[in-house]
Amino acid sequence: MNDQEEVDLYRDTYVRYLGYANEVGEAFRSLVPKSVVWFSYALSSGYVLADTVHKGAKVYQADTTPQRTKNVLLSTSDTLIWQSFASVIIPGFTINRICAAVQFAQRKSARAAWKKPWITTLIGLVSIPFIIHPIDHAVERAMDVSYRKWTGYHPKEPLCGVKHE
């Protein structure tokens, strides 16, 4: 491996934000047709699958050991699980519940200004930057003590006989 870590296109660049398209969709749920929200989930899921394929292809190209198939499966499954939870499931649920709480408060409020539908969207959008890193780190820790512990695989460590460059 080089002295500098390789930049991960899907986790260390602005491409990472494609995984959060569904949070934007959830924030806009009260203003747009459901098809727009579902499209935002399709976009996020496409990002998840692209990263999964990318990570698997990297291992496939680098691995010449008899464990190649196993290592590709470990890499792709780890990526798919991590990205599914960190990019789609937990953030989507979180923004959905934030927006639902705002809508609940709006229904209980007597102030007409507070009842504007765009307020839910604005609060949902403003919440996104605050949830990204805590969710990523929580999913990373959860993966370390569960799936990765069970499989013995960690994406930051060399695979059985495969040196990361």
Side-chain angles (χ1 to χ4, degrees), residues 24-34 36-37 103 106 115-122 125:
V24 174
E26 285 294 345
F28 277 93
R29 185 180 283 274
S30 64
L31 298 177
V32 299
K34 284 184 183 179
V36 173
V37 177
Q103 288 173 334
Q106 286 176 312
K115 294 185 182 262
K116 304 286 184 201
W118 56 264
I119 290 176
T120 303
T121 299
L122 182 63
L125 290 173

XYZ file of all heavy atoms in Angstrom, residues 24-34 36-37 103 106 115-122 125:
193
model
N -33.254 13.437 0.543
C -33.828 14.616 -0.110
C -35.266 14.295 -0.532
O -36.178 15.098 -0.329
C -32.971 15.061 -1.309
C -33.641 16.197 -2.071
C -31.573 15.478 -0.842
N -35.467 13.111 -1.086
C -36.825 12.680 -1.450
C -37.750 12.649 -0.252
O -38.898 13.103 -0.333
N -37.252 12.138 0.882
C -38.068 12.105 2.104
C -38.391 13.517 2.588
O -39.506 13.778 3.041
C -37.360 11.318 3.216
C -37.372 9.831 3.041
C -38.748 9.203 3.122
O -39.714 9.834 3.588
O -38.869 8.038 2.693
N -37.424 14.412 2.494
C -37.666 15.793 2.923
C -38.756 16.454 2.075
O -39.556 17.238 2.579
C -36.371 16.604 2.854
N -38.796 16.105 0.790
C -39.778 16.695 -0.123
C -41.089 15.899 -0.185
O -41.995 16.263 -0.921
C -39.191 16.815 -1.533
C -38.354 18.036 -1.731
C -36.980 17.988 -1.542
C -38.933 19.245 -2.087
C -36.195 19.108 -1.711
C -38.152 20.381 -2.266
C -36.781 20.305 -2.076
N -41.205 14.833 0.569
C -42.370 13.934 0.495
C -43.702 14.681 0.599
O -44.668 14.338 -0.084
C -42.289 12.858 1.577
C -43.401 11.830 1.493
C -43.296 10.775 2.596
N -42.280 9.782 2.341
C -42.465 8.670 1.624
N -43.647 8.432 1.089
N -41.491 7.817 1.452
N -43.759 15.696 1.441
C -45.030 16.414 1.637
C -45.362 17.353 0.472
O -46.485 17.847 0.394
C -44.992 17.201 2.948
O -44.005 18.213 2.891
N -44.411 17.572 -0.428
C -44.631 18.526 -1.523
C -44.670 17.905 -2.914
O -45.124 18.550 -3.851
C -43.520 19.593 -1.513
C -43.412 20.477 -0.277
C -42.216 21.401 -0.414
C -44.688 21.277 -0.077
N -44.158 16.681 -3.052
C -44.029 16.092 -4.387
C -44.803 14.779 -4.466
O -45.124 14.177 -3.449
C -42.536 15.847 -4.750
C -41.759 17.150 -4.753
C -41.902 14.836 -3.814
N -45.075 14.311 -5.684
C -45.735 13.007 -5.825
C -44.843 11.889 -5.268
O -43.618 11.996 -5.259
C -45.899 12.851 -7.339
C -45.729 14.203 -7.911
C -44.869 14.978 -6.964
N -45.463 10.812 -4.831
C -44.717 9.678 -4.284
C -43.715 9.127 -5.289
O -42.673 8.597 -4.905
C -45.669 8.567 -3.843
C -46.370 8.860 -2.551
C -47.218 7.679 -2.124
C -47.962 8.036 -0.845
N -48.826 6.948 -0.395
N -41.731 10.679 -7.147
C -40.466 11.412 -7.005
C -39.671 10.857 -5.824
O -38.458 10.664 -5.901
C -40.713 12.934 -6.848
C -39.421 13.673 -6.534
C -41.377 13.494 -8.095
N -40.374 10.568 -4.737
C -39.721 9.989 -3.558
C -39.157 8.615 -3.915
O -38.000 8.306 -3.591
C -40.696 9.897 -2.367
C -40.026 9.237 -1.173
C -41.219 11.278 -1.991
N -44.527 17.516 10.994
C -45.928 17.547 10.575
C -46.872 17.368 11.768
O -47.914 18.020 11.837
C -46.190 16.476 9.521
C -45.562 16.817 8.192
C -45.680 15.692 7.184
O -45.791 14.522 7.538
N -45.634 16.059 5.908
N -46.926 20.611 13.471
C -47.708 21.559 12.671
C -49.204 21.369 12.903
O -49.944 22.347 13.002
C -47.390 21.396 11.176
C -46.045 21.944 10.774
C -45.747 21.674 9.309
O -45.909 20.560 8.827
N -45.303 22.709 8.608
N -47.737 26.266 9.814
C -48.436 25.211 9.085
C -48.087 25.138 7.592
O -48.621 24.303 6.875
C -49.941 25.369 9.268
C -50.364 25.134 10.718
C -51.861 25.171 10.862
C -52.247 24.981 12.301
N -52.610 23.608 12.578
N -47.207 25.980 7.125
C -46.810 25.959 5.716
C -46.134 24.619 5.386
O -45.269 24.160 6.121
C -45.832 27.096 5.405
C -46.359 28.474 5.749
C -47.390 28.915 4.760
C -47.801 30.345 5.093
N -49.065 30.693 4.543
N -46.522 23.989 4.273
C -45.971 22.658 3.957
C -44.463 22.664 3.674
O -43.791 21.666 3.914
C -46.762 22.213 2.734
C -47.396 23.433 2.184
C -47.524 24.422 3.303
N -43.911 23.754 3.208
C -42.483 23.802 2.890
C -41.615 23.809 4.139
O -40.415 23.532 4.070
C -42.164 25.006 1.997
C -42.590 26.327 2.558
C -43.750 26.990 2.286
C -41.883 27.135 3.497
N -43.806 28.158 2.996
C -42.664 28.279 3.749
C -40.661 27.017 4.147
C -42.270 29.280 4.630
C -40.266 28.017 5.026
C -41.068 29.128 5.255
N -42.194 24.089 5.306
C -41.418 24.080 6.557
C -40.922 22.660 6.844
O -39.771 22.466 7.250
C -42.240 24.652 7.725
C -42.416 26.152 7.519
C -41.575 24.358 9.067
C -43.283 26.835 8.542
N -41.769 21.674 6.615
C -41.353 20.284 6.807
C -40.167 19.954 5.908
O -39.179 19.353 6.356
C -42.522 19.330 6.478
O -43.640 19.675 7.288
C -42.140 17.882 6.691
N -40.249 20.354 4.656
C -39.166 20.101 3.703
C -37.892 20.805 4.134
O -36.808 20.210 4.128
C -39.584 20.555 2.291
O -40.739 19.807 1.898
C -38.467 20.368 1.294
N -37.998 22.060 4.519
C -36.830 22.828 4.936
C -36.142 22.180 6.140
O -34.921 22.003 6.145
C -37.234 24.273 5.266
C -36.100 25.207 5.671
C -35.112 25.364 4.531
C -36.660 26.553 6.080
N -34.421 18.949 5.021
C -33.183 19.215 4.278
C -32.058 19.697 5.198
O -30.906 19.276 5.060
C -33.434 20.248 3.177
C -34.279 19.792 1.998
C -34.596 20.960 1.073
C -33.580 18.671 1.228
